[in-house]
Amino acid sequence: MNLTTRIAVIGVGNEFRHDDGVGWAVVAQLAEWAEERPLPSGTALLVCDGDPARLITLWEDADLAIVVDAAHAHPERPGRLHRLKVDDGQLSQTGTATSSHGLGLGNAVELARQLDRLPGQLVVYAVEGADSSLGTGLSAPVAAIVEPLTEWIATEISLHAGSTGSR
């Protein structure tokens, strides 16, 4: 990431593990939409495997970072969406969704907080998955959330850009 990036949208996961690729799918959809409806200047669309050091590098200079990741929850409801916001370096959430990755997003947030490398605002969209086995393609309930989630993120980007005067 460079100093001109004001908004970072980061899809976390692995597109070769079915629903774990939901973050990448949302970023791809947003990139496709941006061809017709350009995003504000300084918006970066990025993907990451979930490694905490890589995540921190991608979001550290952003005014707003939006992370999209697959999640596990109990009880499980594939396709259910959780919106989490980082307040004072802590993930504020309701429910019991956790990242589908071993270390988890919470570890990256805590490390970034300790290193003073959190973005200005950090919002996480966690999508409950049904299938993280090897293979491509999202399950039907997870695929169904990609378009509405992409629209919500596009709106969130526009609102943020409008409130900061960047365009």
Side-chain angles (χ1 to χ4, degrees):
M1 170 127 39
N2 60 44
L3 294 176
T4 60
T5 301
R6 312 224 14 122
I7 300 170
V9 180
I10 306 166
V12 176
N14 182 339
E15 65 182 336
F16 299 107
R17 293 193 68 90
H18 290 290
D19 290 346
D20 194 42
V22 67
W24 291 42
V26 169
V27 167
Q29 180 75 60
L30 197 54
E32 186 178 311
W33 286 10
E35 291 176 14
E36 292 181 23
R37 300 183 282 180
L39 297 170
S41 149
T43 301
L45 302 177
L46 310 159
V47 292
C48 179
D49 62 4
D51 176 76
R54 282 189 279 279
L55 273 170
I56 292 167
T57 299
L58 294 175
W59 75 37
E60 70 179 319
D61 294 323
D63 293 332
L64 170 65
I66 298 171
V67 176
V68 181
D69 195 5
H72 297 294
H74 301 286
E76 179 179 282
R77 200 167 87 208
R80 181 170 47 180
L81 180 65
H82 302 264
R83 184 181 186 278
L84 309 101
K85 188 172 179 184
V86 173
D87 294 314
D88 299 323
Q90 303 294 319
L91 279 176
S92 301
Q93 69 180 41
T94 57
T96 58
T98 60
S99 173
S100 63
H101 309 287
L103 282 175
L105 191 55
N107 298 92
V109 170
E110 177 57 22
L111 180 59
R113 187 183 65 74
Q114 292 289 329
L115 298 172
D116 196 27
R117 293 174 65 187
L118 281 169
Q121 295 178 50
L122 177 58
V123 176
V124 177
Y125 286 97
V127 179
E128 291 183 35
D131 181 4
S132 61
S133 65
L134 290 175
T136 58
L138 303 174
S139 66
V142 172
I145 196 67
V146 170
E147 189 166 339
L149 177 53
T150 303
E151 185 67 43
W152 293 326
I153 290 171
T155 300
E156 190 154 0
I157 290 169
S158 294
L159 290 171
H160 179 80
S163 71
T164 61
S166 59
R167 200 64 178 144

